[in-house]
Amino acid sequence: MEQDLARQWLATAVEEARAGLAEGGIPIGAALYAADGAVLGRGRNLRVQEGDPSLHAETAAFRAAGRQRSYRGTTMVTTLSPCWYCSGLVRQFGISRVVVGEDRTFCGGQEWLARHGVEVVVLDDPRCVAMMREFIAENRALWNEDIGE
């Protein structure tokens, strides 16, 4: 995938992450893009805001996309490496590519995804790294809850 396009798409996920942080939630955002570049759905981690442990950013973006005949050729863009739960969603529905804003603060199932034919693009975006490092430093207990520790 072209890096410039991946960074453009990441901007949508970063907007969602910042919105989630402003709401008192965990700053992780995601967007699902069609093969033609149209945004199918976007979302943010809503575990805190909605009191629902299943509302990770990727899940929220997937739900916002609504029912699709097929997810082949789609790209899930996320500010943070997808956890095992969200990695399973990608595999279950055949999402073809995952663009990861950063994997320094957390590295979930992205290697597993790559081994199973999903194209994984890691951007190592400094905005995403800084946002997560600051959040984790200030909210260790909430972060540990989110990652199941």
Side-chain angles (χ1 to χ4, degrees), residues 47-84:
R47 294 180 71 253
V48 173
Q49 300 92 311
E50 299 291 327
D52 182 343
S54 71
L55 279 177
H56 288 204
E58 298 88 341
T59 306
F62 181 77
R63 288 178 177 175
R67 185 175 170 201
Q68 304 292 315
R69 186 170 185 272
S70 172
Y71 296 89
R72 303 272 179 229
T74 62
T75 300
M76 179 66 75
V77 182
T78 180
T79 57
L80 184 65
S81 179
C83 70
W84 287 104

PDB file of all heavy atoms in Angstrom, residues 47-84:
ATOM      1  N   ARG A  47     -15.543   1.736  25.111  1.00  0.00           N
ATOM      2  CA  ARG A  47     -15.725   0.876  26.282  1.00  0.00           C
ATOM      3  C   ARG A  47     -16.153   1.671  27.503  1.00  0.00           C
ATOM      4  O   ARG A  47     -17.045   1.277  28.238  1.00  0.00           O
ATOM      5  CB  ARG A  47     -14.432   0.121  26.589  1.00  0.00           C
ATOM      6  CG  ARG A  47     -14.048  -0.862  25.511  1.00  0.00           C
ATOM      7  CD  ARG A  47     -12.749  -1.587  25.862  1.00  0.00           C
ATOM      8  NE  ARG A  47     -13.002  -2.510  26.961  1.00  0.00           N
ATOM      9  CZ  ARG A  47     -12.589  -2.311  28.206  1.00  0.00           C
ATOM     10  NH1 ARG A  47     -11.894  -1.252  28.532  1.00  0.00           N
ATOM     11  NH2 ARG A  47     -12.859  -3.198  29.144  1.00  0.00           N
ATOM     12  N   VAL A  48     -15.492   2.807  27.737  1.00  0.00           N
ATOM     13  CA  VAL A  48     -15.792   3.632  28.908  1.00  0.00           C
ATOM     14  C   VAL A  48     -17.109   4.373  28.711  1.00  0.00           C
ATOM     15  O   VAL A  48     -17.999   4.321  29.564  1.00  0.00           O
ATOM     16  CB  VAL A  48     -14.636   4.636  29.167  1.00  0.00           C
ATOM     17  CG1 VAL A  48     -15.005   5.616  30.273  1.00  0.00           C
ATOM     18  CG2 VAL A  48     -13.353   3.890  29.494  1.00  0.00           C
ATOM     19  N   GLN A  49     -17.246   5.039  27.578  1.00  0.00           N
ATOM     20  CA  GLN A  49     -18.424   5.870  27.327  1.00  0.00           C
ATOM     21  C   GLN A  49     -19.717   5.063  27.332  1.00  0.00           C
ATOM     22  O   GLN A  49     -20.743   5.513  27.821  1.00  0.00           O
ATOM     23  CB  GLN A  49     -18.297   6.613  25.991  1.00  0.00           C
ATOM     24  CG  GLN A  49     -17.111   7.542  25.885  1.00  0.00           C
ATOM     25  CD  GLN A  49     -15.888   6.867  25.298  1.00  0.00           C
ATOM     26  OE1 GLN A  49     -15.490   5.790  25.701  1.00  0.00           O
ATOM     27  NE2 GLN A  49     -15.269   7.527  24.320  1.00  0.00           N
ATOM     28  N   GLU A  50     -19.696   3.870  26.762  1.00  0.00           N
ATOM     29  CA  GLU A  50     -20.902   3.054  26.633  1.00  0.00           C
ATOM     30  C   GLU A  50     -21.000   1.948  27.691  1.00  0.00           C
ATOM     31  O   GLU A  50     -22.013   1.253  27.759  1.00  0.00           O
ATOM     32  CB  GLU A  50     -20.964   2.417  25.239  1.00  0.00           C
ATOM     33  CG  GLU A  50     -21.027   3.422  24.098  1.00  0.00           C
ATOM     34  CD  GLU A  50     -22.332   4.191  24.045  1.00  0.00           C
ATOM     35  OE1 GLU A  50     -23.379   3.621  24.412  1.00  0.00           O
ATOM     36  OE2 GLU A  50     -22.297   5.371  23.657  1.00  0.00           O
ATOM     37  N   GLY A  51     -19.917   1.768  28.453  1.00  0.00           N
ATOM     38  CA  GLY A  51     -19.917   0.694  29.445  1.00  0.00           C
ATOM     39  C   GLY A  51     -19.983  -0.684  28.810  1.00  0.00           C
ATOM     40  O   GLY A  51     -20.488  -1.625  29.400  1.00  0.00           O
ATOM     41  N   ASP A  52     -19.461  -0.804  27.604  1.00  0.00           N
ATOM     42  CA  ASP A  52     -19.532  -2.051  26.835  1.00  0.00           C
ATOM     43  C   ASP A  52     -18.117  -2.514  26.507  1.00  0.00           C
ATOM     44  O   ASP A  52     -17.435  -1.889  25.704  1.00  0.00           O
ATOM     45  CB  ASP A  52     -20.328  -1.810  25.548  1.00  0.00           C
ATOM     46  CG  ASP A  52     -20.502  -3.058  24.709  1.00  0.00           C
ATOM     47  OD1 ASP A  52     -19.765  -4.053  24.904  1.00  0.00           O
ATOM     48  OD2 ASP A  52     -21.355  -3.029  23.803  1.00  0.00           O
ATOM     49  N   PRO A  53     -17.651  -3.604  27.115  1.00  0.00           N
ATOM     50  CA  PRO A  53     -16.279  -4.054  26.888  1.00  0.00           C
ATOM     51  C   PRO A  53     -15.991  -4.509  25.461  1.00  0.00           C
ATOM     52  O   PRO A  53     -14.836  -4.637  25.082  1.00  0.00           O
ATOM     53  CB  PRO A  53     -16.106  -5.200  27.882  1.00  0.00           C
ATOM     54  CG  PRO A  53     -17.478  -5.690  28.151  1.00  0.00           C
ATOM     55  CD  PRO A  53     -18.378  -4.493  28.034  1.00  0.00           C
ATOM     56  N   SER A  54     -17.024  -4.724  24.660  1.00  0.00           N
ATOM     57  CA  SER A  54     -16.798  -5.175  23.283  1.00  0.00           C
ATOM     58  C   SER A  54     -16.631  -4.029  22.292  1.00  0.00           C
ATOM     59  O   SER A  54     -16.321  -4.262  21.127  1.00  0.00           O
ATOM     60  CB  SER A  54     -17.938  -6.080  22.826  1.00  0.00           C
ATOM     61  OG  SER A  54     -19.126  -5.332  22.632  1.00  0.00           O
ATOM     62  N   LEU A  55     -16.822  -2.798  22.735  1.00  0.00           N
ATOM     63  CA  LEU A  55     -16.774  -1.668  21.799  1.00  0.00           C
ATOM     64  C   LEU A  55     -15.367  -1.099  21.630  1.00  0.00           C
ATOM     65  O   LEU A  55     -15.092   0.042  21.972  1.00  0.00           O
ATOM     66  CB  LEU A  55     -17.758  -0.578  22.200  1.00  0.00           C
ATOM     67  CG  LEU A  55     -19.189  -0.841  21.758  1.00  0.00           C
ATOM     68  CD1 LEU A  55     -20.121   0.251  22.254  1.00  0.00           C
ATOM     69  CD2 LEU A  55     -19.274  -0.946  20.243  1.00  0.00           C
ATOM     70  N   HIS A  56     -14.504  -1.910  21.068  1.00  0.00           N
ATOM     71  CA  HIS A  56     -13.181  -1.442  20.675  1.00  0.00           C
ATOM     72  C   HIS A  56     -13.337  -0.592  19.413  1.00  0.00           C
ATOM     73  O   HIS A  56     -14.372  -0.642  18.739  1.00  0.00           O
ATOM     74  CB  HIS A  56     -12.263  -2.622  20.405  1.00  0.00           C
ATOM     75  CG  HIS A  56     -11.847  -3.348  21.637  1.00  0.00           C
ATOM     76  ND1 HIS A  56     -10.702  -4.088  21.697  1.00  0.00           N
ATOM     77  CD2 HIS A  56     -12.414  -3.443  22.870  1.00  0.00           C
ATOM     78  CE1 HIS A  56     -10.566  -4.620  22.900  1.00  0.00           C
ATOM     79  NE2 HIS A  56     -11.613  -4.245  23.634  1.00  0.00           N
ATOM     80  N   ALA A  57     -12.325   0.168  19.073  1.00  0.00           N
ATOM     81  CA  ALA A  57     -12.407   1.081  17.928  1.00  0.00           C
ATOM     82  C   ALA A  57     -12.690   0.333  16.622  1.00  0.00           C
ATOM     83  O   ALA A  57     -13.529   0.758  15.824  1.00  0.00           O
ATOM     84  CB  ALA A  57     -11.119   1.895  17.802  1.00  0.00           C
ATOM     85  N   GLU A  58     -11.984  -0.770  16.405  1.00  0.00           N
ATOM     86  CA  GLU A  58     -12.179  -1.523  15.167  1.00  0.00           C
ATOM     87  C   GLU A  58     -13.593  -2.087  15.092  1.00  0.00           C
ATOM     88  O   GLU A  58     -14.206  -2.106  14.026  1.00  0.00           O
ATOM     89  CB  GLU A  58     -11.138  -2.659  15.066  1.00  0.00           C
ATOM     90  CG  GLU A  58      -9.714  -2.181  15.006  1.00  0.00           C
ATOM     91  CD  GLU A  58      -9.049  -1.998  16.367  1.00  0.00           C
ATOM     92  OE1 GLU A  58      -9.759  -1.898  17.404  1.00  0.00           O
ATOM     93  OE2 GLU A  58      -7.820  -1.943  16.406  1.00  0.00           O
ATOM     94  N   THR A  59     -14.108  -2.542  16.243  1.00  0.00           N
ATOM     95  CA  THR A  59     -15.462  -3.064  16.294  1.00  0.00           C
ATOM     96  C   THR A  59     -16.475  -1.965  15.998  1.00  0.00           C
ATOM     97  O   THR A  59     -17.444  -2.181  15.257  1.00  0.00           O
ATOM     98  CB  THR A  59     -15.741  -3.683  17.679  1.00  0.00           C
ATOM     99  OG1 THR A  59     -14.736  -4.635  17.977  1.00  0.00           O
ATOM    100  CG2 THR A  59     -17.091  -4.345  17.727  1.00  0.00           C
ATOM    101  N   ALA A  60     -16.242  -0.783  16.561  1.00  0.00           N
ATOM    102  CA  ALA A  60     -17.151   0.339  16.320  1.00  0.00           C
ATOM    103  C   ALA A  60     -17.143   0.742  14.847  1.00  0.00           C
ATOM    104  O   ALA A  60     -18.205   1.015  14.265  1.00  0.00           O
ATOM    105  CB  ALA A  60     -16.771   1.522  17.205  1.00  0.00           C
ATOM    106  N   ALA A  61     -15.963   0.775  14.232  1.00  0.00           N
ATOM    107  CA  ALA A  61     -15.870   1.115  12.805  1.00  0.00           C
ATOM    108  C   ALA A  61     -16.566   0.053  11.954  1.00  0.00           C
ATOM    109  O   ALA A  61     -17.285   0.364  10.997  1.00  0.00           O
ATOM    110  CB  ALA A  61     -14.412   1.271  12.386  1.00  0.00           C
ATOM    111  N   PHE A  62     -16.369  -1.211  12.308  1.00  0.00           N
ATOM    112  CA  PHE A  62     -16.985  -2.319  11.593  1.00  0.00           C
ATOM    113  C   PHE A  62     -18.504  -2.239  11.693  1.00  0.00           C
ATOM    114  O   PHE A  62     -19.221  -2.364  10.696  1.00  0.00           O
ATOM    115  CB  PHE A  62     -16.453  -3.630  12.184  1.00  0.00           C
ATOM    116  CG  PHE A  62     -16.975  -4.860  11.528  1.00  0.00           C
ATOM    117  CD1 PHE A  62     -16.483  -5.275  10.299  1.00  0.00           C
ATOM    118  CD2 PHE A  62     -17.944  -5.631  12.147  1.00  0.00           C
ATOM    119  CE1 PHE A  62     -16.960  -6.431   9.687  1.00  0.00           C
ATOM    120  CE2 PHE A  62     -18.425  -6.783  11.551  1.00  0.00           C
ATOM    121  CZ  PHE A  62     -17.932  -7.179  10.321  1.00  0.00           C
ATOM    122  N   ARG A  63     -19.014  -1.980  12.886  1.00  0.00           N
ATOM    123  CA  ARG A  63     -20.457  -1.853  13.074  1.00  0.00           C
ATOM    124  C   ARG A  63     -21.012  -0.660  12.302  1.00  0.00           C
ATOM    125  O   ARG A  63     -22.093  -0.737  11.720  1.00  0.00           O
ATOM    126  CB  ARG A  63     -20.781  -1.713  14.557  1.00  0.00           C
ATOM    127  CG  ARG A  63     -20.606  -2.986  15.335  1.00  0.00           C
ATOM    128  CD  ARG A  63     -20.887  -2.763  16.807  1.00  0.00           C
ATOM    129  NE  ARG A  63     -20.785  -4.000  17.554  1.00  0.00           N
ATOM    130  CZ  ARG A  63     -20.882  -4.067  18.861  1.00  0.00           C
ATOM    131  NH1 ARG A  63     -21.102  -2.980  19.581  1.00  0.00           N
ATOM    132  NH2 ARG A  63     -20.770  -5.221  19.472  1.00  0.00           N
ATOM    133  N   ALA A  64     -20.284   0.455  12.317  1.00  0.00           N
ATOM    134  CA  ALA A  64     -20.729   1.653  11.598  1.00  0.00           C
ATOM    135  C   ALA A  64     -20.783   1.412  10.090  1.00  0.00           C
ATOM    136  O   ALA A  64     -21.586   2.035   9.386  1.00  0.00           O
ATOM    137  CB  ALA A  64     -19.814   2.833  11.911  1.00  0.00           C
ATOM    138  N   ALA A  65     -19.945   0.508   9.598  1.00  0.00           N
ATOM    139  CA  ALA A  65     -19.936   0.195   8.165  1.00  0.00           C
ATOM    140  C   ALA A  65     -21.207  -0.521   7.741  1.00  0.00           C
ATOM    141  O   ALA A  65     -21.588  -0.488   6.567  1.00  0.00           O
ATOM    142  CB  ALA A  65     -18.716  -0.655   7.813  1.00  0.00           C
ATOM    143  N   GLY A  66     -21.852  -1.165   8.684  1.00  0.00           N
ATOM    144  CA  GLY A  66     -23.060  -1.901   8.341  1.00  0.00           C
ATOM    145  C   GLY A  66     -22.746  -3.171   7.569  1.00  0.00           C
ATOM    146  O   GLY A  66     -21.594  -3.507   7.301  1.00  0.00           O
ATOM    147  N   ARG A  67     -23.779  -3.848   7.225  1.00  0.00           N
ATOM    148  CA  ARG A  67     -23.643  -5.118   6.524  1.00  0.00           C
ATOM    149  C   ARG A  67     -23.104  -4.895   5.119  1.00  0.00           C
ATOM    150  O   ARG A  67     -23.628  -4.075   4.356  1.00  0.00           O
ATOM    151  CB  ARG A  67     -25.012  -5.787   6.462  1.00  0.00           C
ATOM    152  CG  ARG A  67     -24.985  -7.141   5.869  1.00  0.00           C
ATOM    153  CD  ARG A  67     -26.357  -7.766   5.964  1.00  0.00           C
ATOM    154  NE  ARG A  67     -26.388  -8.987   5.184  1.00  0.00           N
ATOM    155  CZ  ARG A  67     -27.482  -9.530   4.739  1.00  0.00           C
ATOM    156  NH1 ARG A  67     -28.645  -8.970   5.004  1.00  0.00           N
ATOM    157  NH2 ARG A  67     -27.436 -10.636   4.034  1.00  0.00           N
ATOM    158  N   GLN A  68     -22.058  -5.629   4.793  1.00  0.00           N
ATOM    159  CA  GLN A  68     -21.464  -5.599   3.451  1.00  0.00           C
ATOM    160  C   GLN A  68     -21.575  -7.004   2.863  1.00  0.00           C
ATOM    161  O   GLN A  68     -21.481  -7.992   3.595  1.00  0.00           O
ATOM    162  CB  GLN A  68     -19.980  -5.195   3.521  1.00  0.00           C
ATOM    163  CG  GLN A  68     -19.704  -3.875   4.209  1.00  0.00           C
ATOM    164  CD  GLN A  68     -20.225  -2.689   3.435  1.00  0.00           C
ATOM    165  OE1 GLN A  68     -20.053  -2.601   2.220  1.00  0.00           O
ATOM    166  NE2 GLN A  68     -20.898  -1.779   4.133  1.00  0.00           N
ATOM    167  N   ARG A  69     -21.738  -7.084   1.589  1.00  0.00           N
ATOM    168  CA  ARG A  69     -21.809  -8.406   0.946  1.00  0.00           C
ATOM    169  C   ARG A  69     -20.517  -9.174   1.165  1.00  0.00           C
ATOM    170  O   ARG A  69     -20.505 -10.369   1.395  1.00  0.00           O
ATOM    171  CB  ARG A  69     -22.087  -8.238  -0.548  1.00  0.00           C
ATOM    172  CG  ARG A  69     -22.309  -9.549  -1.256  1.00  0.00           C
ATOM    173  CD  ARG A  69     -22.819  -9.298  -2.674  1.00  0.00           C
ATOM    174  NE  ARG A  69     -23.134 -10.542  -3.312  1.00  0.00           N
ATOM    175  CZ  ARG A  69     -22.250 -11.254  -3.989  1.00  0.00           C
ATOM    176  NH1 ARG A  69     -21.012 -10.846  -4.097  1.00  0.00           N
ATOM    177  NH2 ARG A  69     -22.614 -12.387  -4.552  1.00  0.00           N
ATOM    178  N   SER A  70     -19.401  -8.452   1.089  1.00  0.00           N
ATOM    179  CA  SER A  70     -18.078  -9.031   1.312  1.00  0.00           C
ATOM    180  C   SER A  70     -17.165  -7.951   1.857  1.00  0.00           C
ATOM    181  O   SER A  70     -17.340  -6.766   1.555  1.00  0.00           O
ATOM    182  CB  SER A  70     -17.517  -9.566  -0.008  1.00  0.00           C
ATOM    183  OG  SER A  70     -16.164  -9.967   0.152  1.00  0.00           O
ATOM    184  N   TYR A  71     -16.187  -8.380   2.631  1.00  0.00           N
ATOM    185  CA  TYR A  71     -15.195  -7.444   3.177  1.00  0.00           C
ATOM    186  C   TYR A  71     -13.847  -7.625   2.493  1.00  0.00           C
ATOM    187  O   TYR A  71     -12.884  -6.969   2.851  1.00  0.00           O
ATOM    188  CB  TYR A  71     -15.070  -7.631   4.691  1.00  0.00           C
ATOM    189  CG  TYR A  71     -16.358  -7.276   5.393  1.00  0.00           C
ATOM    190  CD1 TYR A  71     -17.342  -8.240   5.604  1.00  0.00           C
ATOM    191  CD2 TYR A  71     -16.622  -5.976   5.787  1.00  0.00           C
ATOM    192  CE1 TYR A  71     -18.544  -7.915   6.206  1.00  0.00           C
ATOM    193  CE2 TYR A  71     -17.825  -5.641   6.388  1.00  0.00           C
ATOM    194  CZ  TYR A  71     -18.779  -6.616   6.592  1.00  0.00           C
ATOM    195  OH  TYR A  71     -19.972  -6.281   7.187  1.00  0.00           O
ATOM    196  N   ARG A  72     -13.790  -8.477   1.488  1.00  0.00           N
ATOM    197  CA  ARG A  72     -12.553  -8.667   0.719  1.00  0.00           C
ATOM    198  C   ARG A  72     -12.199  -7.350   0.044  1.00  0.00           C
ATOM    199  O   ARG A  72     -13.063  -6.647  -0.480  1.00  0.00           O
ATOM    200  CB  ARG A  72     -12.730  -9.751  -0.344  1.00  0.00           C
ATOM    201  CG  ARG A  72     -13.167 -11.079   0.215  1.00  0.00           C
ATOM    202  CD  ARG A  72     -11.995 -11.948   0.625  1.00  0.00           C
ATOM    203  NE  ARG A  72     -12.503 -13.196   1.174  1.00  0.00           N
ATOM    204  CZ  ARG A  72     -12.096 -13.715   2.312  1.00  0.00           C
ATOM    205  NH1 ARG A  72     -11.192 -13.115   3.025  1.00  0.00           N
ATOM    206  NH2 ARG A  72     -12.603 -14.850   2.743  1.00  0.00           N
ATOM    207  N   GLY A  73     -10.940  -7.002   0.103  1.00  0.00           N
ATOM    208  CA  GLY A  73     -10.473  -5.767  -0.506  1.00  0.00           C
ATOM    209  C   GLY A  73     -10.588  -4.555   0.395  1.00  0.00           C
ATOM    210  O   GLY A  73     -10.135  -3.473   0.047  1.00  0.00           O
ATOM    211  N   THR A  74     -11.194  -4.725   1.586  1.00  0.00           N
ATOM    212  CA  THR A  74     -11.314  -3.591   2.498  1.00  0.00           C
ATOM    213  C   THR A  74     -10.055  -3.450   3.353  1.00  0.00           C
ATOM    214  O   THR A  74      -9.270  -4.386   3.486  1.00  0.00           O
ATOM    215  CB  THR A  74     -12.544  -3.723   3.422  1.00  0.00           C
ATOM    216  OG1 THR A  74     -12.399  -4.893   4.230  1.00  0.00           O
ATOM    217  CG2 THR A  74     -13.833  -3.783   2.617  1.00  0.00           C
ATOM    218  N   THR A  75      -9.915  -2.264   3.925  1.00  0.00           N
ATOM    219  CA  THR A  75      -8.767  -1.955   4.783  1.00  0.00           C
ATOM    220  C   THR A  75      -9.262  -1.408   6.109  1.00  0.00           C
ATOM    221  O   THR A  75     -10.020  -0.438   6.132  1.00  0.00           O
ATOM    222  CB  THR A  75      -7.852  -0.904   4.117  1.00  0.00           C
ATOM    223  OG1 THR A  75      -7.375  -1.412   2.866  1.00  0.00           O
ATOM    224  CG2 THR A  75      -6.672  -0.550   5.002  1.00  0.00           C
ATOM    225  N   MET A  76      -8.828  -2.031   7.199  1.00  0.00           N
ATOM    226  CA  MET A  76      -9.101  -1.514   8.540  1.00  0.00           C
ATOM    227  C   MET A  76      -7.899  -0.666   8.939  1.00  0.00           C
ATOM    228  O   MET A  76      -6.771  -1.157   8.972  1.00  0.00           O
ATOM    229  CB  MET A  76      -9.296  -2.652   9.549  1.00  0.00           C
ATOM    230  CG  MET A  76      -9.566  -2.187  10.963  1.00  0.00           C
ATOM    231  SD  MET A  76     -11.139  -1.327  11.190  1.00  0.00           S
ATOM    232  CE  MET A  76     -12.292  -2.718  11.120  1.00  0.00           C
ATOM    233  N   VAL A  77      -8.156   0.596   9.223  1.00  0.00           N
ATOM    234  CA  VAL A  77      -7.106   1.513   9.655  1.00  0.00           C
ATOM    235  C   VAL A  77      -7.321   1.768  11.139  1.00  0.00           C
ATOM    236  O   VAL A  77      -8.435   2.105  11.556  1.00  0.00           O
ATOM    237  CB  VAL A  77      -7.171   2.839   8.870  1.00  0.00           C
ATOM    238  CG1 VAL A  77      -6.050   3.767   9.286  1.00  0.00           C
ATOM    239  CG2 VAL A  77      -7.119   2.577   7.374  1.00  0.00           C
ATOM    240  N   THR A  78      -6.280   1.611  11.936  1.00  0.00           N
ATOM    241  CA  THR A  78      -6.401   1.766  13.375  1.00  0.00           C
ATOM    242  C   THR A  78      -5.180   2.475  13.940  1.00  0.00           C
ATOM    243  O   THR A  78      -4.076   2.298  13.429  1.00  0.00           O
ATOM    244  CB  THR A  78      -6.624   0.395  14.056  1.00  0.00           C
ATOM    245  OG1 THR A  78      -6.746   0.578  15.465  1.00  0.00           O
ATOM    246  CG2 THR A  78      -5.520  -0.578  13.744  1.00  0.00           C
ATOM    247  N   THR A  79      -5.399   3.285  14.953  1.00  0.00           N
ATOM    248  CA  THR A  79      -4.292   4.048  15.522  1.00  0.00           C
ATOM    249  C   THR A  79      -3.322   3.165  16.300  1.00  0.00           C
ATOM    250  O   THR A  79      -2.170   3.535  16.486  1.00  0.00           O
ATOM    251  CB  THR A  79      -4.808   5.166  16.457  1.00  0.00           C
ATOM    252  OG1 THR A  79      -5.620   4.593  17.479  1.00  0.00           O
ATOM    253  CG2 THR A  79      -5.583   6.206  15.667  1.00  0.00           C
ATOM    254  N   LEU A  80      -3.785   2.005  16.751  1.00  0.00           N
ATOM    255  CA  LEU A  80      -2.973   1.110  17.570  1.00  0.00           C
ATOM    256  C   LEU A  80      -3.098  -0.317  17.050  1.00  0.00           C
ATOM    257  O   LEU A  80      -4.159  -0.716  16.571  1.00  0.00           O
ATOM    258  CB  LEU A  80      -3.459   1.171  19.027  1.00  0.00           C
ATOM    259  CG  LEU A  80      -2.671   0.378  20.054  1.00  0.00           C
ATOM    260  CD1 LEU A  80      -1.251   0.923  20.204  1.00  0.00           C
ATOM    261  CD2 LEU A  80      -3.383   0.413  21.409  1.00  0.00           C
ATOM    262  N   SER A  81      -2.029  -1.070  17.174  1.00  0.00           N
ATOM    263  CA  SER A  81      -2.044  -2.475  16.759  1.00  0.00           C
ATOM    264  C   SER A  81      -3.292  -3.165  17.310  1.00  0.00           C
ATOM    265  O   SER A  81      -3.603  -3.036  18.495  1.00  0.00           O
ATOM    266  CB  SER A  81      -0.784  -3.164  17.292  1.00  0.00           C
ATOM    267  OG  SER A  81      -0.770  -4.528  16.936  1.00  0.00           O
ATOM    268  N   PRO A  82      -4.021  -3.887  16.473  1.00  0.00           N
ATOM    269  CA  PRO A  82      -5.267  -4.498  16.939  1.00  0.00           C
ATOM    270  C   PRO A  82      -5.022  -5.615  17.949  1.00  0.00           C
ATOM    271  O   PRO A  82      -4.124  -6.437  17.783  1.00  0.00           O
ATOM    272  CB  PRO A  82      -5.901  -5.040  15.658  1.00  0.00           C
ATOM    273  CG  PRO A  82      -4.770  -5.217  14.707  1.00  0.00           C
ATOM    274  CD  PRO A  82      -3.756  -4.171  15.061  1.00  0.00           C
ATOM    275  N   CYS A  83      -5.836  -5.621  18.995  1.00  0.00           N
ATOM    276  CA  CYS A  83      -5.764  -6.682  19.999  1.00  0.00           C
ATOM    277  C   CYS A  83      -6.206  -7.997  19.345  1.00  0.00           C
ATOM    278  O   CYS A  83      -6.622  -8.039  18.190  1.00  0.00           O
ATOM    279  CB  CYS A  83      -6.653  -6.320  21.190  1.00  0.00           C
ATOM    280  SG  CYS A  83      -8.418  -6.382  20.803  1.00  0.00           S
ATOM    281  N   TRP A  84      -6.170  -9.064  20.137  1.00  0.00           N
ATOM    282  CA  TRP A  84      -6.566 -10.367  19.599  1.00  0.00           C
ATOM    283  C   TRP A  84      -8.041 -10.395  19.221  1.00  0.00           C
ATOM    284  O   TRP A  84      -8.428 -11.015  18.233  1.00  0.00           O
ATOM    285  CB  TRP A  84      -6.242 -11.472  20.607  1.00  0.00           C
ATOM    286  CG  TRP A  84      -4.767 -11.707  20.651  1.00  0.00           C
ATOM    287  CD1 TRP A  84      -3.896 -11.293  21.619  1.00  0.00           C
ATOM    288  CD2 TRP A  84      -3.977 -12.356  19.659  1.00  0.00           C
ATOM    289  NE1 TRP A  84      -2.622 -11.656  21.284  1.00  0.00           N
ATOM    290  CE2 TRP A  84      -2.641 -12.316  20.082  1.00  0.00           C
ATOM    291  CE3 TRP A  84      -4.272 -12.967  18.447  1.00  0.00           C
ATOM    292  CZ2 TRP A  84      -1.602 -12.865  19.344  1.00  0.00           C
ATOM    293  CZ3 TRP A  84      -3.240 -13.521  17.702  1.00  0.00           C
ATOM    294  CH2 TRP A  84      -1.917 -13.465  18.154  1.00  0.00           C
TER     295      TRP A  84
END
